[in-house]
Amino acid sequence: MTREPWRTVAVVAPLAVVGLLLAPLFRDDIGLDGLAYVSIARQYAEGGLPVNGYWGPLWSWFLVPLLVVGVEPLLAAGVLQVASSVLALVAFRRLADVAGARPAVRDALALAISPFLLAMAHYGVFVDVLMAGFLLLWCSEVLRPDFPTSRAVALRAGLWAGLAVLTKIYALPFVVVHLAVVLALHWYRSRGVPAAWRRVGASGLLALVVVGVLFAPWVAALSATYDRFTVTKSARYNVTIAGPGSEGNPIRYAGLLTPPSEEAVSIWEDPSRMPVNADGWGAGGESADRLLDNVTDTVALGADLLTDDMIVVSALGIAGTVGVLFLRRRERAGSPASRLVVAGIVAAGAIYAGGYAVLFVERRYTWFLLLLLAVPAALFLQRVLVALPGRHRWVLPAVATVLAVTVAAQAVPRMFERVDEGARAQEVTAALRSDGGLTGPVASNGFWERTAVICFELECQYYGQPRDHELGEGLDALLAERGIATFVAWGEPLADPPGREVTPDGLENVHVYEVSSAG
């Protein structure tokens, strides 16, 4: 009986157990994106069928069973994030296997990067963790030497890619471009074999067909909802706000914004419906300048973010990449084609980063890249161990321990900096709930995310914030015209309040007003 299942349990158990134990501590660190996903999941759990062209559906679908059995929504989101990080760790191990890492080295590095995956799970609620896991699994199939000849491998590759696309639409162009590069690598490796291009192309086509079968029902649902063929609504929005003349996120300047449905908490459940102040992309010099600025800024910030996490592992990964690709050596007969795998990993990193480089970058966009780099890091470590004279059983555990310490030293402090994120929203929520709740719709004078979380918890709708010039005299009439029942003012009390103040006792630096003309 193979010991591999037990090895897997031993490697992933620390991450799973510690992650779940910490989940209540980070419950309130939800973020606007996470709140949208959780709100959509709650609508599914309550019997609704929300079809949203901005957010991928899979993460919300995965959350539904937890909500149905009664797990509190924000805590359930944390549990799912931990499960997503465990998936990413399992996927890393599979890709390391394909690359030729020995089980001991593979698992030593998997344990070493676990603190980073723990921090990923508790850095707000972002589906990038789940997508990274699926994309690593995709790479572990398409980079196998037998991908051109095994239909089972091609089917699994399409499955993981389809799930990644349903998680986040960014995976779709990535998969298409990466597959084209990988097919070229397989063809080059099989050159001289009769009809090799046919087998390579057939496997690639089969993988794409599986992606299409998985994604097509969702596209049909989107197209029916928006009355036109629709694959996503997020691409146009993000490209526009990153373009020339953009004033940034419309929630800061667009005024009161009606949620996209009666069940939605806020407009952030479909940001594509917001009006964007921007000139738009064109063929002129302004667009070229903006594109250059975007690339320059994102590359600089991305490089800085990449050094903020797993810098030692990443350095080993770069060394391993150079060693595999440029230091030629004879591979043993029957061993995995490490050069093919590492070349595919380099292509994956370049394609994934290149798409974001023309727009903007955030820390979570670097996670997949860092996990990719950990694979050649394992190969580099393996080559060093092989080169050591004699047999030193203590070397690998010692090196893994040092790497784990370096990873934890960067990841854990940043993770715990977010412990208090969202605490203020929960404090106000608890006071309002004890005082009878909150009558919606609600608007505020700022703190968009905080107020949206309060409205989610108290099950009312949030219309955002009026423009700055609308916060003075006449605010009550504006709110009444839009049907706003409650106004939350953060900070000092308003000089021209829109109605009677109904702030619960004990709350400081926040004032709740019942809009006098509402209704």
Side-chain angles (χ1 to χ4, degrees), residues 171-202:
L172 181 59
F174 166 82
V175 164
V176 172
V177 178
H178 187 240
L179 178 62
V181 175
V182 169
L183 292 181
L185 292 173
H186 278 295
W187 175 81
Y188 180 77
R189 187 169 181 269
S190 304
R191 64 192 185 281
V193 177
W197 65 271
R198 291 182 181 176
R199 291 196 294 271
V200 171

Side-chain angles (χ1 to χ4, degrees), residues 7 16 40 73 79 82 96 145 150 152 162 184 199 212 216 235 267 354 377 386 405 419 424 459 477:
R7 294 182 69 109
I40 292 168
V79 171
V82 173
S150 173
R199 291 196 294 271
I267 190 65
V386 170
V405 170
V419 167
R424 177 62 168 159
E459 299 189 31

Side-chain angles (χ1 to χ4, degrees), residues 208-228:
L208 286 180
V209 167
V210 175
V211 174
V213 168
L214 290 173
F215 192 47
W218 183 246
V219 172
L222 292 176
S223 301
T225 299
Y226 293 99
D227 295 322
R228 57 182 299 182

Side-chain angles (χ1 to χ4, degrees), residues 133-158:
F134 286 136
L135 290 182
L136 287 171
L137 289 171
W138 152 263
C139 289
S140 74
E141 302 295 347
V142 296
L143 296 178
R144 286 172 57 121
D146 60 345
F147 174 76
T149 58
S150 173
R151 298 296 173 259
V153 173
L155 286 170
R156 289 197 301 268

Side-chain angles (χ1 to χ4, degrees), residues 36 56 71 91 100 106 116 126 199 205 239 289 301 413 415 424 444 513:
V71 181
R106 173 203 67 192
F116 170 67
F126 295 108
R199 291 196 294 271
L205 180 60
V239 168
D289 291 343
L301 179 57
M415 177 180 71
R424 177 62 168 159
S444 71
Y513 298 97

Side-chain angles (χ1 to χ4, degrees), residues 460-498:
C460 56
Q461 289 194 303
Y462 179 54
Y463 277 52
Q465 59 194 57
R467 300 176 180 88
D468 290 342
H469 69 272
E470 296 172 334
L471 289 172
E473 185 178 354
L475 175 62
D476 56 344
L478 171 67
L479 298 177
E481 180 183 351
R482 297 296 300 272
I484 305 298
T486 305
F487 189 81
V488 179
W490 299 97
E492 298 296 324
L494 297 181
D496 296 297

Side-chain angles (χ1 to χ4, degrees), residues 278-368:
D279 296 335
W281 293 92
E286 184 180 359
S287 291
D289 291 343
R290 181 57 184 259
L291 180 61
L292 180 61
D293 289 343
N294 285 354
V295 173
T296 302
D297 293 344
T298 54
V299 169
L301 179 57
D304 185 53
L305 291 174
L306 284 169
T307 59
D308 270 355
D309 288 301
M310 298 208 303
I311 185 171
V312 177
V313 172
S314 297
L316 296 180
I318 294 171
T321 300
V322 172
V324 170
L325 295 183
F326 301 108
L327 301 181
R328 303 181 66 90
R329 61 186 179 88
R330 178 177 295 178
E331 295 183 0
R332 295 178 181 176
S335 66
S338 298
R339 297 185 70 187
L340 167 69
V341 176
V342 173
I345 286 174
V346 171
I351 295 164
Y352 189 87
Y356 282 122
V358 299
L359 299 175
F360 42 77
V361 65
E362 297 181 14
R363 182 176 302 279
R364 55 195 169 101
Y365 299 163
T366 66
W367 293 344
F368 177 60

